Amino acid sequence: MSSRLLNIGNTGLSASKKALEVTSHNISNANTEGYSRQRVHQQANTPLIKDGLVTGSGTRIRDINRVHDKFVEKKLRDANTDKSYYDNRSQQMGRIEDIFNEIDNQGLNQILNNFFNSFRDLANQPENETVRSVVRDKAQLIVKDFRRIAETLDEISRSIDDKISLNIKDANQHIETIGQLNRKIRELEANGDETGDMRDQRDLAIKELSKIVKIHTYEDERGNYNVQAPGVGTLVTAAQTQTLGTYVFGKEDSTSGQDGSVEVFWASRSGQQITEKFKGGSLGAVIKVRNHDIKALREKLDQTAFEFMNYVNAIHRRGFVNREIQTDAQGNPVTVDSKGPTTGLNFFKEPTQIEGAALRLDLSDAIKSDVSNIATALSPNSPGDNRVAIAISKLQHERLMGDGTATIEEDYLKTVGNVGLETGKAKLDAEQSEGLLAQANSIRERISGVSIDEEAANMIKYQHAYEAAAKVMQTANEMFDTVLSIKQ
């Protein structure tokens, strides 16, 4: 009888010891990211029947489970995806907005106005060499600012290429980790081992992956997590993984319309480009900014530069240079003299195509070399004639853009306004997503987080149980000794 009592005490001792280990493990990982507190489930051993009496046989640990809610984890994962998407979009759109910020510096709109005002001044003093030089300087500032904007947009696009490569590298690491943990968890659980910590590590890897791409997951009947990227394909199936790769493409084959663009492919299927299929997470955000926002702005900027050059040149070509022009036998002014053409001169270099017009914008060689080639007169040898200068200055208020619906200034300000709206919306979305993420984290912490107070109380409870079980074993031992002493 004392032997059975000893065994019962031993089961209590073992159960309390295991419960103390789990409690200590929880306390140790109270600040570990992604850790889910674990709980011991204890149950009575199968009772024994002896001499017609049913008596207990002690206790045992049925299992150790982590406290976990799949719905909350999914909500947290989706909140992470949205937060990462809007943070990255807000950051990149903020960089674009800074290009058009005219608070600290003269922006393109002000520079264009200064250019038209300089032609207005030239119309009042068409013979003044100083005013002509001012016109050329103002035009040079326009050239410089169009290039500044175009080059900065290209720089941002290049930096996004680097971000895409880094995102793919990080995503592949998480994909491989999930696949490896799927295999380890399946192997351990097949042997009846506890896998709570590994499941937490897998959840953490899935959470990190969800910051890069939007994902859907489901758990199969064997406990494997399968991961899919909506619109892209399956990334993880049990222990099998499909990693991603990046390649650099020329302008003709790129989705950004820029030479040297980084595109995303399946690592095992290099012929299938999937760049634009990513819609969420940091990867979806930077791809959208590069392929849509920057691309549209670059096209708009080229269109504005192209139209501006053409309208100024069309008027300027009709004028005559500011020097004495000889006439032929019929009394017509010569079109070319010893200094070059006398009329038909472009103010800006003739644009060949809209694409890249902002970067290629430049003054014509004739205007660069001699300010007397700036035409102000519609008739030759007419010192007071200022009709060309007036016509160019009036371009400022003519509705030349958007099929005659807006002036150059209105069209430009509309473009800048749209950038501001998109940036403001992205910042607002980022703030809202931060609140939703904090809420999801709070819910998860309430369910799965470690409460130090609760664990401290559990530790005292299991410690007392351990001491009591030890006392039972001591009592059993004393009873056994008593029996032995009687026999002596």
Side-chain angles (χ1 to χ4, degrees):
M1 178 180 178
S2 58
S3 172
R4 204 168 74 199
L5 187 62
L6 197 66
N7 287 335
I8 291 174
N10 187 43
T11 61
L13 203 69
S14 298
S16 299
K17 179 173 176 290
K18 177 57 73 176
L20 275 171
E21 288 175 1
V22 172
T23 302
S24 301
H25 187 57
N26 285 339
I27 294 173
S28 300
N29 287 284
N31 296 318
T32 301
E33 183 184 1
Y35 180 76
S36 302
R37 63 192 168 97
Q38 297 178 2
R39 281 289 169 265
V40 171
H41 296 279
Q42 191 173 335
Q43 71 176 32
N45 280 332
T46 305
L48 301 175
I49 302 175
K50 188 174 183 181
D51 301 330
L53 297 174
V54 179
T55 57
S57 59
T59 186
R60 66 184 178 89
I61 300 296
R62 187 185 67 201
D63 55 36
I64 301 170
N65 289 331
R66 61 175 184 152
V67 181
H68 178 75
D69 188 310
K70 291 181 180 178
F71 175 76
V72 172
E73 288 292 337
K74 180 182 182 306
K75 189 175 181 180
L76 178 61
R77 191 165 60 239
D78 292 343
N80 265 309
T81 302
D82 292 342
K83 174 73 166 50
S84 180
Y85 175 84
Y86 290 121
D87 274 352
N88 279 273
R89 178 162 175 75
S90 172
Q91 182 186 5
Q92 298 303 328
M93 290 303 297
R95 294 177 65 189
I96 295 173
E97 187 181 34
D98 288 342
I99 301 174
F100 300 96
N101 193 338
E102 301 192 7
I103 295 177
D104 299 326
N105 304 304
Q106 277 195 344
L108 181 58
N109 182 52
Q110 185 60 46
I111 291 173
L112 283 168
N113 288 338
N114 291 342
F115 170 76
F116 291 123
N117 288 335
S118 69
F119 258 103
R120 204 163 285 119
D121 293 339
L122 183 61
N124 294 328
Q125 308 173 69
E127 310 301 322
N128 191 318
E129 291 292 318
T130 302
V131 177
R132 287 177 171 272
S133 295
V134 170
V135 169
R136 185 172 61 182
D137 292 344
K138 297 299 183 187
Q140 196 63 54
L141 286 177
I142 290 177
V143 170
K144 187 178 176 183
D145 214 56
F146 266 114
R147 288 181 182 174
R148 175 189 68 83
I149 296 173
E151 288 172 353
T152 310
L153 286 174
D154 285 349
E155 287 173 9
I156 295 175
S157 187
R158 300 287 180 204
S159 71
I160 288 178
D161 285 338
D162 294 338
K163 278 185 173 293
I164 291 173
S165 297
L166 286 174
N167 274 327
I168 294 301
K169 183 180 177 183
D170 291 343
N172 284 339
Q173 288 180 348
H174 298 313
I175 290 169
E176 294 287 359
T177 299
I178 295 167
Q180 291 167 5
L181 287 170
N182 269 342
R183 179 175 53 78
K184 289 179 181 177
I185 289 170
R186 189 177 65 231
E187 290 173 354
L188 289 172
E189 291 184 347
N191 295 325
D193 293 329
E194 171 57 31
T195 58
D197 290 343
M198 283 193 174
R199 283 178 172 267
D200 281 345
Q201 291 173 21
R202 186 175 62 184
D203 285 347
L204 188 60
I206 290 173
K207 188 175 82 172
E208 292 300 317
L209 180 61
S210 72
K211 293 179 181 177
I212 300 172
V213 297
K214 184 175 180 61
I215 56 173
H216 285 165
T217 64
Y218 69 93
E219 188 173 359
D220 64 21
E221 67 280 0
R222 300 180 67 184
N224 293 311
Y225 255 52
N226 300 304
V227 182
Q228 294 179 331
V232 180
T234 302
L235 302 175
V236 181
T237 304
Q240 294 182 343
T241 59
Q242 283 203 89
T243 54
L244 304 167
T246 56
Y247 299 93
V248 177
F249 273 77
K251 184 167 61 179
E252 296 302 322
D253 298 318
S254 72
T255 56
S256 67
Q258 191 171 20
D259 195 34
S261 174
V262 172
E263 305 296 336
V264 184
F265 288 79
W266 291 111
S268 58
R269 287 171 277 167
S270 58
Q272 186 176 353
Q273 188 188 106
I274 52 177
T275 306
E276 293 208 318
K277 292 186 176 180
F278 294 95
K279 302 300 180 185
S282 58
L283 187 60
V286 295
I287 287 174
K288 182 176 181 181
V289 171
R290 187 193 69 172
N291 288 5
H292 296 273
D293 298 294
I294 292 180
K295 189 176 181 181
L297 276 172
R298 194 189 297 123
E299 290 172 354
K300 186 65 182 174
L301 190 69
D302 285 341
Q303 181 73 37
T304 302
F306 186 81
E307 299 281 356
F308 171 74
M309 284 190 292
N310 274 329
Y311 282 119
V312 172
N313 281 345
I315 297 174
H316 194 268
R317 281 196 298 267
R318 295 170 59 193
F320 288 85
V321 297
N322 186 41
R323 61 175 179 263
E324 185 177 353
I325 301 172
Q326 303 297 321
T327 56
D328 58 17
Q330 288 74 35
N332 296 320
V334 296
T335 56
V336 179
D337 61 12
S338 59
K339 292 186 177 181
T342 60
T343 188
L345 288 169
N346 282 326
F347 190 89
F348 294 102
K349 285 186 177 176
E350 187 73 26
T352 55
Q353 59 181 3
I354 296 177
E355 185 178 355
L359 273 174
R360 289 195 298 272
L361 178 65
D362 200 1
L363 297 184
S364 66
D365 293 337
I367 301 299
K368 282 182 181 176
S369 61
D370 189 353
V371 293
S372 69
N373 286 327
I374 298 176
T376 57
L378 198 58
S379 301
N381 302 318
S382 304
D385 190 352
N386 60 2
R387 287 176 288 176
V388 170
I390 290 174
I392 291 178
S393 70
K394 283 184 176 179
L395 288 176
Q396 181 181 11
H397 303 296
E398 292 186 15
R399 297 187 181 278
L400 308 172
M401 309 297 290
D403 295 327
T405 59
T407 64
I408 293 176
E409 179 181 13
E410 290 170 345
D411 193 62
Y412 177 74
L413 291 179
K414 181 181 176 183
T415 301
V416 175
N418 287 337
V419 171
L421 284 174
E422 286 297 321
T423 306
K425 185 175 182 299
K427 288 179 179 175
L428 183 62
D429 288 338
E431 290 173 2
Q432 290 178 340
S433 64
E434 185 174 8
L436 292 173
L437 177 60
Q439 185 184 44
N441 268 321
S442 176
I443 294 172
R444 186 197 178 277
E445 280 303 302
R446 285 203 299 272
I447 295 173
S448 303
V450 176
S451 166
I452 296 297
D453 292 340
E454 184 182 346
E455 298 302 331
N458 285 340
M459 190 164 58
I460 294 171
K461 180 177 72 175
Y462 294 133
Q463 184 182 10
H464 286 171
Y466 185 88
E467 291 171 353
K471 187 68 176 175
V472 170
M473 293 183 70
Q474 183 184 7
T475 302
N477 188 51
E478 290 172 357
M479 291 170 64
F480 190 68
D481 288 343
T482 301
V483 172
L484 289 178
S485 64
I486 293 173
K487 289 182 178 178
Q488 291 173 352

